[in-house]
Amino acid sequence: MIRHLFKMIWNKKKQNALLISEILISFMVLFAVFTLLVFDWQNYKKPLGFSYENVWLVSYNNAIKTNSNDSLTLFYETVRQTVKSLPQVREISFVNDNVPFSNNSNQTGFTFNKKHIDHVNWHMAEDSYKDVLGLTMEEGRWFNRQDIGAKNEAIVINEGLKEMMFGKTDAVGKLIGDDNDKNKMKIVGVIQDMKDKGDYTRAGIAIYHRADTGAFRSFGRMLLSIEPGADAAFESRLYKTLANAMKNSNVEILHLSDMRKNINYFSLVPMIVMLIVAGFLVINVALGLFGVLWYNINKRRGEIGLRRAVGASGSAVTGQLVGEALVVASFSLITGSFFAVQFPLLNVFDLPSNTYFMGLGLSILFIYLLVLVCAVYPGKQAAAILPAVALHED
């Protein structure tokens, strides 16, 4: 029966070419939509890797103009102590522009074992950075004052970079850097991956350098861990304190919880746009299927009546029409799947292979369900045609 249906649809391929093309285009768009949905879902279910609640971000600029690192350090240490003297402030850490839930990013790369590693998120962090964000150490420790003057610069990496370079083996104590670089960096700790660009984005690979005395020159932000329950009155007090401490600076205070919401909304925009486009295509496919099936029923009333007259049941008639619609969809899906499997094979967009295959499976399932729903009702209408009436009209 299935072979007969395929042969019959193949013989009518010119008549069904438009519908096959329409389903094919819809399938490819749905493949992209479901792949994006699966990718976002896979990222969302992974742990965030740090704590953002009760963490505030302070941005500032032009706080002090001096060429002396000692004067710079003294100024910002005074600011630190002034801010920490407030009872609601638990901890403070000066940071560079690459802060959680911002659109800023600093990336670098290096060669390791003759393999170049690109797109490494570069962070300059203080000793207090770990405590402010509540980072989880998977191996080793966070850098501290004992690393001052060490032969090799102490760094911390995340799990993603560790697995890329060392796999399942321990990374603590290993030296990394360009192959021809004599000043290697020593890994002292490995932290859990941080999804610092939103819940729906990958954590990426990251490296954390310890800030030295000259780092204040490149800093323009500070992260504050605040006691729960701090209200607008305290925020106003904090702003006045910072404005007085840094008189020539423009100070802005943001909450990481609000920044997380904003960056998540921004991440959902491509998904929403693609869902709208896919929705219009699905409606067009559904209307096309209904139209083709109704046309076929009216055109084949004599054939349907004859089949009923020689003993075919109503369910058999319905099954044939539904089967024909599913076969038409199958031609589109076979062609579309050929193109879809090229994405994981060629590693397009650098997504995991299982993400593509899950998106492919969901797209095929959705198309078949759509075709089944659209074909069942016209099929039942065809099964209700009386043999005598159909043969009389013919």
Side-chain angles (χ1 to χ4, degrees), residues 217-337:
R217 197 173 300 280
S218 62
F219 286 161
R221 289 169 170 78
M222 63 179 83
L223 289 171
L224 277 64
S225 177
I226 306 297
E227 292 287 349
D231 54 11
F234 168 71
E235 184 172 345
S236 176
R237 181 185 175 189
L238 174 63
Y239 178 84
K240 292 177 181 178
T241 301
L242 290 168
N244 290 329
M246 298 184 287
K247 297 183 182 298
N248 297 322
S249 179
N250 297 317
V251 177
E252 181 184 14
I253 301 175
L254 298 173
H255 298 196
L256 287 194
S257 55
D258 295 333
M259 295 174 65
R260 172 177 172 262
K261 292 178 183 178
N262 292 335
I263 202 167
N264 282 341
Y265 290 149
F266 183 77
S267 299
L268 290 174
V269 169
M271 187 192 307
I272 294 172
V273 172
M274 294 187 70
L275 284 172
I276 293 173
V277 173
F280 279 114
L281 287 173
V282 167
I283 292 173
N284 286 333
V285 169
L287 293 175
L289 281 171
F290 272 116
V292 168
L293 290 172
W294 278 114
Y295 175 78
N296 286 340
I297 290 171
N298 292 326
K299 188 177 179 181
R300 298 164 62 184
R301 289 178 67 87
E303 174 193 339
I304 295 171
L306 182 60
R307 289 196 62 197
R308 293 299 308 277
V310 297
S313 63
S315 59
V317 173
T318 301
Q320 179 179 347
L321 292 174
V322 172
E324 290 177 7
L326 292 175
V327 169
V328 169
S330 296
F331 279 107
S332 300
L333 296 179
I334 291 172
T335 305
S337 297

Side-chain angles (χ1 to χ4, degrees), residues 84-102:
K84 286 190 70 174
S85 66
L86 299 174
Q88 290 90 344
V89 177
R90 293 187 292 191
E91 189 56 89
I92 176 176
S93 178
F94 288 89
V95 291
N96 62 349
D97 292 341
N98 198 4
V99 295
F101 306 136
S102 73

Side-chain angles (χ1 to χ4, degrees), residues 137 139-142 155-158 172 186-191:
M137 300 300 304
E139 293 181 23
R141 61 176 175 83
W142 190 256
I155 60 168
V156 174
I157 63 175
N158 69 344
V172 174
K186 183 179 179 180
I187 300 173
V188 298
V190 179
I191 64 169

Side-chain angles (χ1 to χ4, degrees), residues 6 15 26 32 40 100 105 127 136 144 174 177 197 200 202 252 261 272 288 292 295 311 322 333 348 367 377 394:
F6 270 94
Q15 300 176 21
S26 300
D40 287 344
S105 63
D127 297 349
T136 302
N144 52 44
K174 302 288 180 63
K197 298 306 178 186
Y200 303 104
R202 286 187 292 188
E252 181 184 14
K261 292 178 183 178
I272 294 172
V292 168
Y295 175 78
V322 172
L333 296 179
V348 181
I367 290 292
Y377 181 73
D394 192 55

